[in-house]
Amino acid sequence: MLTRPALLLRIEELCLLIAAVALYAHFHFSWLLFAVLFLAPDLFMLGYLANPRDGAALYNLGHFLFVPLCLFAVAYGGHRPLLLAIAIIWVAHITFDRLLGYGLKYPAHFKDTHLQHIARVRQ
């Protein structure tokens, strides 16, 4: 198992997702808010309407863990519960995406990620 990086990465992301959901529950935040905002980071895909390069840059901005972790630190330090909830939801979304194999994008094509090349479905 330790020689299978793809499996290790998926296990790692699953653990991070569980931790994010547990933290969200610990703070007693609204599960309705979680459901409404969970897919919101996927709006960053709209950059692909311009072109693949801009699309990848915008998508990566919305799926780079550094951004919600910074928001988490600012929200926690500033006692801003709504921002804290958003940061945790954002982290949960990113870890869920990565668990499914959707990673940060390369500018060549949407399906080229840092985790894998997602095969196109043949019809």
Side-chain angles (χ1 to χ4, degrees):
M1 179 176 102
L2 294 177
T3 59
R4 297 177 58 198
L7 177 62
L8 293 174
L9 286 171
R10 299 257 169 109
I11 292 170
E12 185 175 79
E13 296 303 333
L14 176 62
C15 292
L16 290 171
L17 174 60
I18 291 168
V21 171
L23 188 61
Y24 193 85
H26 172 76
F27 283 113
H28 303 287
F29 292 135
S30 165
W31 290 107
L32 178 60
L33 180 67
F34 190 94
V36 168
L37 293 182
F38 185 73
L39 295 177
D42 284 338
L43 291 172
F44 285 92
M45 278 191 280
L46 292 175
Y48 279 93
L49 294 174
N51 60 61
R53 184 168 193 76
D54 292 344
L58 190 59
Y59 181 90
N60 289 346
L61 177 65
H63 289 81
F64 180 42
L65 274 172
F66 181 76
V67 178
L69 291 177
C70 286
L71 178 62
F72 180 92
V74 169
Y76 188 77
H79 305 289
R80 306 288 304 266
L82 179 59
L83 290 180
L84 189 60
I86 290 168
I88 296 170
I89 294 167
W90 199 348
V91 168
H93 171 87
I94 293 170
T95 58
F96 181 73
D97 268 8
R98 291 183 183 177
L99 176 63
L100 295 178
Y102 296 101
L104 299 173
K105 308 298 183 195
Y106 288 104
H109 192 275
F110 181 79
K111 294 186 182 240
D112 290 329
T113 77
H114 83 286
L115 296 174
Q116 67 182 347
H117 174 76
I118 302 165
R120 295 182 185 151
V121 177
R122 295 181 187 199
Q123 296 182 12

